Amino acid sequence: MPSLWRARRRLLLIALGVLGVLQALLAIMVSLSVAAILEGNRALVGLLLATTLGLGVAQWIQKVVAEDLGQHYVHEVRRELVGAALVPGNTASLGVTVTRASNDLTAVRNWVALGIVPMVTGLPLIAIVLVALFIQDLRTGVAVTVPLLMCVAVLPVVARWTLKRARELRKKRGRMAARIADSVMAGELLHATGAIDRELNAVTRDSDRVVIAAVRRSWATGFSRALMAMAASLGTVSIVISGHLEVSEVAGIMMLLGVLATPVAELGRVVEYRQNYKAATRILIPLLQRGSEFKHSQQKLPGLQATEGIPGVYVKGISALPGERIYLHGSADATRKWVTSLSAMEEGTDVIVNGQRLSQLPLKQRRALIGIASAHHHLSRGSVSRLVGLRVPDATVEEIEQALEQVGLNNTGKQRLKNGGHPWSTSQINKLKIASATLRTPPLLVLEGITPENLLNYPGVIISTVQENPSETWRQVNI
């Protein structure tokens, strides 16, 4: 996981620590002011009101800074998580990926904003208040501290219990999310086979397991919260039972304990957020590491200079010169695997374009030499111009418009698509993919499941799994 102590987050953490100390000092001033006013010093009423208002403002600012810290951290993790999901070879279900990007990141955000923040601000506050209680009266300090330490000693046991229940719930929830995503995507098949009711029953069973797991987790999380709430109450009860303080002193101490009760009670929630975070990171950390390793490997690849006088391509045993057309003949599974290994540039995939070995090129240089359009590739959402320019991010508006015109999609650049290309037809979507793959005319063009339309005069090598242009000479290669 990314370091929390980084960049702007350092300032936010320091600000939270200062707010915690400030609240402790204001609480002590409130306590002393109440005791003095009850003894007859009415001149301190203004100070009491001001310090009380200061406490409220400090807590308000603390919530804002805590949310800023949590969102800033999750923003970084979310980017890395989505990047890891886009790494070639990722086989995670769509539902699982969405769950990780929502529930798991919510657990991360809660730990940062509602777990770490209460410790950064609460622990200094608790420590300062306890020291103040001991200074005022030794017996008062002992009466408050002993019940607090007794309850804190139980937290490690409760934490292990909470972690077990949190991992169980996360597993059930991920399975349910995967089931729902797969069911929605298979909606047409389920309707055609009359299996909608059976699928709904399966979703209901998974949902029931989530409900049961959530209730079981609540026994652990509820106990930790109740335990720390009881710790704060026991301190107050101990002082009342001891009966060694005057009425004015009791009022001041009660005000101090009222301020202390909030951070003490929040320690119970900290346990819950910490264990949910640990359960989430057991899944997130391997994914983030995989994405980081892939990104690192792409950045460290050495670039090769183009070798003059060696035009043409060599692709997994297929040699071709510019202008040649290769028909890739084979089963649907075989051609799909062939194109997938090429687009992912898997280890052992030997591709040389104009004298440059693609496996040794950085991604930016590689995508300038090869364009791939596949009927199986799912479009992301966005404007048509954005989708066409994904392979060449620095393409100009004129270049994108020209690529669209060549495939017959004139004046469509500003139109926005979603849900895999809605509202366009399959034919229009395939044309868009060809426009993207042919942008800046890469020397090698690979088409899978897409008819090579409007490519009669394409100057580069075309490898296609569809052969429907009789005016050209195609060389068949069996795989």
Side-chain angles (χ1 to χ4, degrees), residues 364-406:
K364 183 177 181 180
Q365 296 181 31
R366 184 191 307 168
R367 64 192 182 197
L369 297 175
I370 180 173
I372 299 177
S374 172
H376 298 285
H377 289 171
H378 192 83
L379 291 181
S380 60
R381 64 171 54 211
S383 68
V384 172
S385 293
R386 174 184 176 274
L387 296 175
V388 171
L390 287 177
R391 187 178 60 86
V392 186
D394 59 342
T396 64
V397 176
E398 291 74 16
E399 288 177 320
I400 292 175
E401 290 179 351
Q402 183 180 4
L404 288 170
E405 289 176 1
Q406 289 177 349

Side-chain angles (χ1 to χ4, degrees), residues 141-310:
V142 172
V144 174
T145 305
V146 171
L148 178 61
L149 292 178
M150 291 175 60
C151 292
V152 169
V154 183
L155 286 182
V157 178
V158 181
R160 290 192 292 271
W161 182 23
T162 305
L163 177 60
K164 181 180 178 180
R165 294 294 179 240
R167 290 180 59 189
E168 178 186 9
L169 174 59
R170 200 158 297 277
K171 181 178 179 181
K172 303 295 185 185
R173 187 181 290 153
R175 183 176 298 173
M176 180 187 69
R179 166 80 69 178
I180 292 174
D182 292 343
S183 298
V184 172
M185 295 182 69
E188 292 185 7
L189 174 63
L190 296 174
H191 181 76
T193 57
I196 291 180
D197 288 339
R198 290 195 297 274
E199 194 67 18
L200 289 176
N201 291 336
V203 172
T204 300
R205 287 193 296 270
D206 285 337
S207 179
D208 289 340
R209 296 187 183 101
V210 171
V211 171
I212 295 172
V215 173
R216 295 180 65 182
R217 187 190 64 166
S218 68
W219 283 98
T221 58
F223 182 77
S224 63
R225 294 191 183 194
L227 181 68
M228 296 314 298
M230 184 177 65
S233 300
L234 285 176
T236 304
V237 172
S238 299
I239 293 175
V240 173
I241 293 176
S242 63
H244 64 281
L245 298 176
E246 298 295 333
V247 175
S248 61
E249 294 176 326
V250 171
I253 295 297
M254 290 303 176
M255 289 292 295
L256 203 57
L257 292 180
V259 175
L260 186 66
T262 299
V264 170
E266 285 184 342
L267 290 179
R269 293 194 296 175
V270 166
V271 174
E272 174 187 349
Y273 296 138
R274 174 61 180 172
Q275 305 315 309
N276 287 339
Y277 169 81
K278 290 173 66 176
T281 53
R282 289 175 69 94
I283 299 174
L284 293 178
I285 288 178
L287 293 175
L288 297 179
Q289 288 177 341
R290 182 168 177 262
S292 178
E293 291 171 358
F294 178 79
K295 181 179 179 181
H296 181 75
S297 66
Q298 296 297 307
Q299 293 175 341
K300 295 300 181 181
L301 288 173
L304 297 180
Q305 297 297 323
T307 305
E308 297 293 337
I310 310 181

Side-chain angles (χ1 to χ4, degrees), residues 24 53 61 73 83 141 144 269 299 357 377 414 418 445 463:
L53 178 62
I61 296 175
Y73 186 74
V144 174
R269 293 194 296 175
Q299 293 175 341
R357 193 178 299 274
H377 289 171
K414 294 183 179 180
K418 59 182 180 179
L445 177 63
I463 299 179

Side-chain angles (χ1 to χ4, degrees), residues 23-39 44 47-48 51-52 55 129 132-133 136 140 248-259:
Q23 290 179 63
L25 296 178
L26 290 175
I28 293 173
M29 293 176 64
V30 168
S31 174
L32 296 176
S33 300
V34 168
I37 291 172
L38 291 177
E39 289 176 353
L44 296 178
L47 177 62
L48 176 60
T51 50
T52 303
L55 267 175
V129 170
L133 290 175
Q136 290 184 29
T140 300
S248 61
E249 294 176 326
V250 171
I253 295 297
M254 290 303 176
M255 289 292 295
L256 203 57
L257 292 180
V259 175

